[in-house]
């Protein structure tokens, strides 16, 4: 199955802001990102899943509307999955990195894979929930089997709109990238990444 991963559009979050669950408004009209992103997506898809965060859901709806116009689709078939949410940075969420005490950030940065943010997640927590998502949609996964039985066809193209953290976690799982190197690959706003699952 072809898996297309799409990152949400840019927000008005000031540069240097730590945010995962905080939802800042989009910086530009969602259609601007959708127009560019759509050109990198396949002409057809079977299923569409998005993070429930507004910044992802807005792009998912805009992309779906473009498919609707081109393919005359009549039924909204976008599903949300909370496992696709960005990392929860807890007490740091929505704050500028420079405002967070260094006594908190320095130990975390030395082991961001395993260390949790105060009242938040570690990267391993995000990896765990993304792995569960992938297990459900891989061949013989429970959600994939259910979808194929209900729709009486093979699931060939799945589009997922989410965040850079989950996308990087999927890179690690599906491309064998070590977790410590997850943030070395660029994942730009509105970018599309094709993987196989």
């Amino acid at each position: 199955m072809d898996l297309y991963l799409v990152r949400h559009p840019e927000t008005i979050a000031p540069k240097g802001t730590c945010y995962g669950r905080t939802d800042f408004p989009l910086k530009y009209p969602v259609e601007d990102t959708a127009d560019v992103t759509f050109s990198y997506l396949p002409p057809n898809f079977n299923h569409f899943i998005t993070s429930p965060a507004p910044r992802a859901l807005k792009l998912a709806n805009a992309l779906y509307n473009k498919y609707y116009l081109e393919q005359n689709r009549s039924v909204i078939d976008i599903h949300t999955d909370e496992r696709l949410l960005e990392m929860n940075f807890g007490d740091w969420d929505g704050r500028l990195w420079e405002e967070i005490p260094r006594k908190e950030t320095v130990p975390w940065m030395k082991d961001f894979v395993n260390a949790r943010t105060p009242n938040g997640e570690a990267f391993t927590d995000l990896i765990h929930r993304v792995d569960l998502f992938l297990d459900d949609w891989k061949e013989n996964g429970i959600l994939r089997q259910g979808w194929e039985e209900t729709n009486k066809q093979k699931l060939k193209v799945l589009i997922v709109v989410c965040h850079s953290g989950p996308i990087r976690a999927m890179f690690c799982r599906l491309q064998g990238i070590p977790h410590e190197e997850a943030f070395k690959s660029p994942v730009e706003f509105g970018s599309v990444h094709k993987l196989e699952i």
Side-chain angles (χ1 to χ4, degrees):
M1 176 181 76
D2 290 338
L3 174 63
Y4 286 85
L5 303 174
V6 182
R7 187 182 179 192
H8 65 80
E10 186 174 359
T11 71
I12 63 167
K15 191 174 175 73
T17 300
C18 170
Y19 73 103
R21 299 301 173 88
T22 303
D23 243 294
F24 292 92
L26 298 184
K27 189 171 185 177
Y28 307 106
V30 69
E31 292 77 16
D32 292 358
T33 303
D35 286 343
V36 176
T37 300
F38 188 73
S39 66
Y40 292 96
L41 290 172
N44 296 288
F45 70 93
N46 299 114
H47 197 43
F48 212 119
I49 306 174
T50 181
S51 157
R55 60 189 186 268
L57 193 54
K58 286 175 184 172
L59 180 58
N61 282 315
L63 291 172
Y64 193 91
N65 286 337
K66 295 180 88 56
Y67 276 110
Y68 173 82
L69 291 173
E70 294 213 354
Q71 300 179 4
N72 196 26
R73 287 178 174 264
S74 58
V75 179
I76 295 297
D77 192 25
I78 300 176
H79 296 265
T80 61
D81 193 316
E82 292 196 352
R83 295 175 295 185
L84 296 171
L85 284 166
E86 183 57 281
M87 186 167 150
N88 181 355
F89 286 98
D91 295 348
W92 300 352
D93 218 298
R95 297 171 64 187
L96 290 171
W97 282 104
E98 63 187 27
E99 294 176 353
I100 302 169
R102 285 181 52 80
K103 66 181 182 182
E104 294 180 15
T105 58
V106 170
W108 178 77
M109 288 181 180
K110 286 181 179 174
D111 187 17
F112 74 89
V113 174
N114 299 294
R116 281 192 176 86
T117 58
N119 296 309
E121 291 182 302
F123 190 45
T124 49
D125 296 317
L126 184 152
I127 290 165
H128 176 68
R129 55 185 166 84
V130 167
D131 280 350
L132 292 175
F133 173 85
L134 290 174
D135 287 343
D136 280 344
W137 289 102
K138 68 182 181 183
E139 193 168 5
N140 298 322
I142 189 166
L143 292 182
R144 183 167 173 179
Q145 283 186 324
W147 187 94
E148 291 180 345
E149 287 172 11
T150 299
N151 293 278
K152 299 186 173 26
Q153 61 176 307
K154 287 288 186 186
L155 181 58
K156 295 181 180 177
V157 179
L158 173 62
I159 297 175
V160 171
V161 180
C162 58
H163 313 267
S164 67
I167 290 172
R168 293 172 195 281
M170 291 190 216
F171 287 170
C172 291
R173 166 80 177 267
L174 300 175
Q175 297 181 328
I177 297 172
H179 296 149
E180 295 76 15
E181 297 179 15
F183 291 85
K184 290 185 177 178
S185 301
V187 179
E188 305 296 336
F189 293 110
S191 59
V192 178
H193 310 268
K194 181 183 176 185
L195 299 174
E196 300 263 329
I197 181 174

